Amino acid sequence: MSGYVGILVSDPWLQNQFTQVELRSLKTHFMSMRRESGKLTLRDMASRMSRLKVVGENLTEEDRASCIQDLYQNLDEEVDFEFFLKVYLKLHAHASARTGSVAKNSSAFLKTATTTLLHTISESEKASYVAHINNYLGEDDFLKKYLPIDPSTNDLFEIAKDGVLLCKLINVAVAGTIDERAINTKRILNPWERNENHTLCLNSAKAIGCTVVNIGTQDFIEGRRHLVLGLISQIIKIQLLADLNLKKTPQLLELVGDSKDVEELMSLPPEKILLRWMNFLLKKAGYKKIVTNFSSDVKDAEAYAHLLNVLAPEYSNPSTLTVRDPLTRAKLVLEHADRMGCKRYLTAKDIVEGSPNLNLAFVAHIFQHRNGLSTQTKQISFLETLPDDAQISREERAFRFWMNSLGNSTYIDNVFEDLRNGWLLLETLDKVSPGIVNWKVANKPPIKLPFRKVENCNQVVKIGKQLKFSLVNIAGNDIVQGNKKLILAYLWQLMRCNILQLLKNLRFHSHGKEITDVDILRWANTQVSNSGTQSRMNSFKDKSLSDGIFFLELLSAVQPRAVNWSLVTKGVADDEKKMNATYIISIARKLGCSIFLLPEDLTEVNQKMILTLTASIMYWYLKQPVDQDKPSGTSDSETISNSTLDDSASESSIEENGNL
């Protein structure tokens, strides 16, 4: 039965809002409502939801109709099950806000993500992030008329409502993530344009490593402060920790004793590297304690005093270490930081209260400003001898961010290290194919005994074979040992399986048949051909795709207003190809595609990522209301269902397209 539920709800965010029992109950109600006239529109929902608890009991039909009218423009739009769930959640939140609590007899359908009235925000964090935004975006041509923001007001959340600020902040954190040509930057945006900016922001945030499982575009429009601030916090954290890796800061090699420790250092998350750097310098300063967190261990400000003394002794104040009051010491520490030219990010009160986010930001900025590490040529030359496979690095990044976007229990910092106990792989498999994992024989972390990790990974391999992955010579122990090539091979097949499963679940188009790579290829070529252009994709490794023109024509075919052709280059020179590639990725994310590739994957024609991009565009398009404007010619369902490929043809196409 759990597999049935997984088919009904493919949206990971919605999966997190309900239990499987709740989904079954709501599905029964939905089918009953739709049965009355064969379909269900937004206009129908106000009257037909009277039988639902909370929404039916605490809101009149007029209340429900008024709320729906405020939220949506086209009341004649047909509602599918996932859309029904989203409307239900909005009405449920509205009912709860009016009554002050959930009715006694109601089911616990309402999840934390929608009970925004109970959430508070840290004014210190808000002030710190506002200062960061004012500093980095104050000269932006579009935003400077709104900046600087006053931290004592809620102007931050008002300005964030059109999505432009957050898109620009993402580009500050990871330059080039969003092609700014794709951002809608008119002074007054209509609801459609504003929604596009929010969609672009959320999909781009996922693509740089943010967790946005419980955030939707409506949350920005409604100015839900804790969710907006939470996303801003993640974006700024990614920016501040960007240099904490050996590629950006090779001097970090000084932290390890010999070459054996280098791989361990490379596998650590940025926060752990920052702690290791801090303790390395504190040991030099004669500080006896070990700092293990950015909260309780730094409350007394002693560690900060020693750290700044060793980094910038010329600005030290002897009384910093002699005063007894932690608050006074914290103030002296911040004065020292000011003399060094470091931005504060926090107040003395934030230090003694142990604010983890602000303390992390403070230390990260100190590292960026002055890391106190040497630049020994011996170490740098040693680093150059380490294997640096750009392709492996890019694929690891794409799979890591994809897995994190699913909302697993633990954030993944490095797939080769964090997946070795098998647990996160089992969680991901259960999200891709609900009910497929036998949790009774799974071992939950922390796992001390090595053979328990092997047991988990053996089940991972067994399930992969059930899903018809190609797993020749792959055993559970290969994952435990961190075999990079084999782990990437497994993750690629898992990601591809997820995409094909999502497409298959669109039963109206696929008629329940398996979707193949050939179907996706044929669909893309049909859309482009029907739009009246001559471009064609021969395979997912077709080198002619490097100029980006085919994908721009595909995006224009599925949404005619998506591409501004005056911004498109000819795609001849390398820089022109890259400009087109960044534009393609941003447009796809703006439409609603959740993709994790980089421009290089397009310009170099990485066939795996080309397939995921095409399939994501196809999935987005087929989810749109049936009555939307579509190119004339063969229908989507015919494009897929008329496929007469036999098994051998499917297998040869997969081999041709480079699928594992």
Side-chain angles (χ1 to χ4, degrees):
M1 194 65 178
S2 58
Y4 175 64
V5 172
I7 288 174
L8 293 179
V9 182
S10 57
D11 186 332
W13 182 81
L14 280 174
Q15 290 173 0
N16 282 328
Q17 306 308 305
F18 302 95
T19 67
Q20 293 187 359
V21 173
E22 291 166 352
L23 279 172
R24 292 183 200 122
S25 175
L26 284 170
K27 178 64 176 180
T28 302
H29 283 292
F30 171 75
M31 296 300 290
S32 174
M33 292 177 202
R34 199 169 66 172
R35 204 173 292 122
E36 293 177 19
S37 60
K39 67 175 185 176
L40 183 68
T41 66
L42 278 168
R43 194 182 304 279
D44 299 328
M45 288 186 70
S47 60
R48 297 188 192 177
M49 293 183 91
S50 59
R51 288 166 284 181
L52 288 171
K53 291 179 179 180
V54 183
V55 168
E57 293 170 355
N58 297 293
L59 296 175
T60 65
E61 184 176 332
E62 290 73 22
D63 291 334
R64 294 191 293 272
S66 175
C67 186
I68 290 171
Q69 199 162 358
D70 288 343
L71 289 169
Y72 305 99
Q73 287 186 312
N74 181 13
L75 297 182
D76 293 318
E77 184 175 349
E78 189 169 349
V79 177
D80 62 14
F81 183 49
E82 291 197 4
F83 194 3
F84 164 80
L85 292 176
K86 291 173 182 176
V87 177
Y88 174 83
L89 283 171
K90 298 296 180 188
L91 290 174
H92 201 311
H94 184 55
S96 300
R98 294 188 65 177
T99 60
S101 62
V102 179
K104 287 181 181 178
N105 297 327
S106 71
S107 179
F109 287 159
L110 191 62
K111 299 298 173 188
T112 308
T114 56
T115 54
T116 54
L117 297 176
L118 303 177
H119 288 277
T120 59
I121 64 169
S122 163
E123 289 297 328
S124 288
E125 286 195 29
K126 185 181 79 171
S128 177
Y129 302 150
V130 163
H132 182 97
I133 290 167
N134 287 339
N135 181 54
Y136 284 95
L137 291 172
E139 297 304 313
D140 181 87
D141 289 340
F142 179 80
L143 291 173
K144 60 186 177 185
K145 55 180 171 285
Y146 305 109
L147 302 182
I149 300 168
D150 183 350
S152 66
T153 68
N154 282 324
D155 289 354
L156 170 64
F157 308 108
E158 289 301 314
I159 295 171
K161 282 184 178 181
D162 67 5
V164 178
L165 174 70
L166 292 170
C167 286
K168 300 263 190 181
L169 190 61
I170 286 170
N171 271 355
V172 170
V174 182
T177 299
I178 296 176
D179 190 320
E180 297 206 357
R181 295 173 294 177
I183 305 174
N184 299 318
T185 53
K186 292 191 306 187
R187 189 171 184 85
I188 299 176
L189 301 177
N190 63 40
W192 177 271
E193 292 165 330
R194 188 172 56 183
N195 188 67
E196 283 185 332
N197 280 350
H198 295 142
T199 303
L200 173 60
C201 164
L202 287 172
N203 284 319
S204 300
K206 284 193 286 187
I208 65 169
C210 296
T211 301
V212 297
V213 173
N214 289 324
I215 309 176
T217 57
Q218 194 67 23
D219 296 314
F220 296 118
I221 295 167
E222 294 174 2
R224 296 188 175 179
R225 300 187 305 161
H226 71 288
L227 293 176
V228 174
L229 205 65
L231 180 58
I232 290 173
S233 169
Q234 291 187 72
I235 296 168
I236 291 176
K237 178 180 173 184
I238 286 168
Q239 178 189 343
L240 292 174
L241 297 176
D243 292 341
L244 281 149
N245 59 71
L246 287 173
K247 192 171 183 180
K248 291 278 188 72
T249 312
Q251 297 95 324
L252 285 167
L253 277 171
E254 192 179 347
L255 304 184
V256 295
D258 54 50
S259 59
K260 293 179 182 178
D261 298 325
V262 174
E263 283 207 26
E264 181 200 344
L265 183 69
M266 292 173 75
S267 69
L268 290 175
E271 298 97 312
K272 297 285 187 186
I273 296 177
L274 191 62
L275 282 170
R276 192 157 178 171
W277 164 79
M278 189 175 178
N279 284 311
F280 174 80
L281 292 180
L282 288 175
K283 187 176 180 181
K284 276 188 174 182
Y287 188 67
K288 303 299 182 184
K289 299 176 185 175
I290 301 293
V291 177
T292 61
N293 58 62
F294 294 105
S295 183
S296 58
D297 286 0
V298 294
K299 277 184 174 184
D300 59 10
E302 284 187 15
Y304 285 154
H306 284 90
L307 177 66
L308 296 184
N309 280 348
V310 76
L311 284 174
E314 67 274 24
Y315 299 122
S316 63
N317 182 338
S319 62
T320 305
L321 289 171
T322 59
V323 296
R324 293 187 177 182
D325 177 41
L327 186 63
T328 305
R329 186 182 302 114
K331 289 176 180 176
L332 292 171
V333 161
L334 292 178
E335 288 173 8
H336 191 161
D338 282 343
R339 290 192 291 273
M340 284 173 61
C342 287
K343 295 181 185 66
R344 292 191 174 199
Y345 283 98
L346 78 178
T347 64
K349 185 182 176 186
D350 295 324
I351 292 177
V352 297
E353 289 182 352
S355 172
N357 285 343
L358 296 182
N359 276 297
L360 172 64
F362 179 55
V363 179
H365 186 71
I366 292 171
F367 176 86
Q368 281 189 341
H369 188 75
R370 188 181 296 195
N371 62 40
L373 299 173
S374 65
T375 53
Q376 295 178 20
T377 53
K378 181 181 177 183
Q379 290 178 330
I380 306 302
S381 61
F382 167 73
L383 190 62
E384 290 170 353
T385 66
L386 292 174
D388 180 25
D389 191 319
Q391 182 81 356
I392 285 179
S393 177
R394 288 212 305 268
E395 289 189 5
E396 186 274 338
R397 175 190 180 278
F399 299 145
R400 170 163 40 99
F401 290 163
W402 167 67
M403 291 180 75
N404 284 331
S405 76
L406 299 176
N408 288 316
S409 63
T410 305
Y411 189 84
I412 301 166
D413 287 293
N414 183 307
V415 299
F416 305 126
E417 292 298 320
D418 297 348
L419 303 187
R420 286 170 65 170
N421 63 20
W423 183 262
L424 287 170
L425 276 170
L426 290 173
E427 282 192 358
T428 306
L429 283 162
D430 198 51
K431 289 181 183 294
V432 170
S433 184
I436 202 167
V437 175
N438 183 355
W439 292 110
K440 292 180 180 178
V441 297
N443 304 292
K444 189 173 183 178
I447 305 171
K448 294 182 180 179
L449 299 173
F451 77 91
R452 296 294 186 195
K453 298 178 184 179
V454 175
E455 286 177 349
N456 280 354
C457 293
N458 282 342
Q459 186 179 178
V460 167
V461 173
K462 181 182 176 183
I463 293 171
K465 290 176 179 175
Q466 280 179 245
L467 295 171
K468 299 180 181 177
F469 293 178
S470 174
L471 297 174
V472 180
N473 297 325
I474 296 183
N477 197 48
D478 293 313
I479 298 172
V480 177
Q481 295 300 320
N483 186 310
K484 292 183 179 181
K485 186 177 179 181
L486 297 182
I487 289 173
L488 289 179
Y490 190 97
L491 288 177
W492 159 238
Q493 294 179 90
L494 181 54
M495 188 178 187
R496 178 175 170 273
C497 173
N498 180 231
I499 294 169
L500 298 180
Q501 187 66 30
L502 290 174
L503 286 168
K504 181 186 174 184
N505 292 346
L506 295 170
R507 292 184 176 277
F508 174 81
H509 300 282
S510 71
H511 300 287
K513 74 178 282 291
E514 297 293 333
I515 304 295
T516 68
D517 296 11
V518 173
D519 292 323
I520 298 169
L521 187 69
R522 180 184 290 114
W523 173 84
N525 282 323
T526 299
Q527 297 304 312
V528 172
S529 174
N530 287 346
S531 69
T533 56
Q534 302 299 315
S535 295
R536 181 172 178 79
M537 174 167 54
N538 294 315
S539 72
F540 295 115
K541 57 182 179 182
D542 185 342
K543 292 300 180 185
S544 69
L545 298 173
S546 66
D547 63 10
I549 302 300
F550 177 85
F551 283 107
L552 287 163
E553 290 180 345
L554 176 60
L555 288 163
S556 186
V558 300
Q559 176 49 268
R561 59 184 292 277
V563 179
N564 182 344
W565 286 98
S566 67
L567 303 175
V568 175
T569 74
K570 292 180 180 179
V572 177
D574 288 345
D575 59 334
E576 291 179 336
K577 290 180 179 180
K578 186 165 184 180
M579 285 179 70
N580 283 351
T582 57
Y583 192 40
I584 289 164
I585 292 169
S586 291
I587 292 172
R589 287 177 179 150
K590 180 177 174 179
L591 290 180
C593 299
S594 182
I595 49 177
F596 301 92
L597 71 164
L598 292 170
E600 292 82 0
D601 293 315
L602 276 170
T603 58
E604 296 172 14
V605 192
N606 178 336
Q607 54 203 5
K608 296 176 185 176
M609 295 302 141
I610 294 285
L611 171 60
T612 63
L613 172 63
T614 313
S616 296
I617 297 170
M618 180 179 178
Y619 178 63
W620 172 83
Y621 179 68
L622 296 183
K623 284 198 306 179
Q624 303 311 300
V626 184
D627 61 350
Q628 76 162 19
D629 293 332
K630 291 185 179 181
S632 60
T634 309
S635 70
D636 302 310
S637 54
E638 288 172 342
T639 301
I640 298 172
S641 64
N642 287 345
S643 173
T644 56
L645 297 167
D646 58 24
D647 292 338
S648 60
S650 295
E651 287 168 8
S652 64
S653 72
I654 290 173
E655 184 179 345
E656 179 193 355
N657 291 325
N659 298 310
L660 297 167

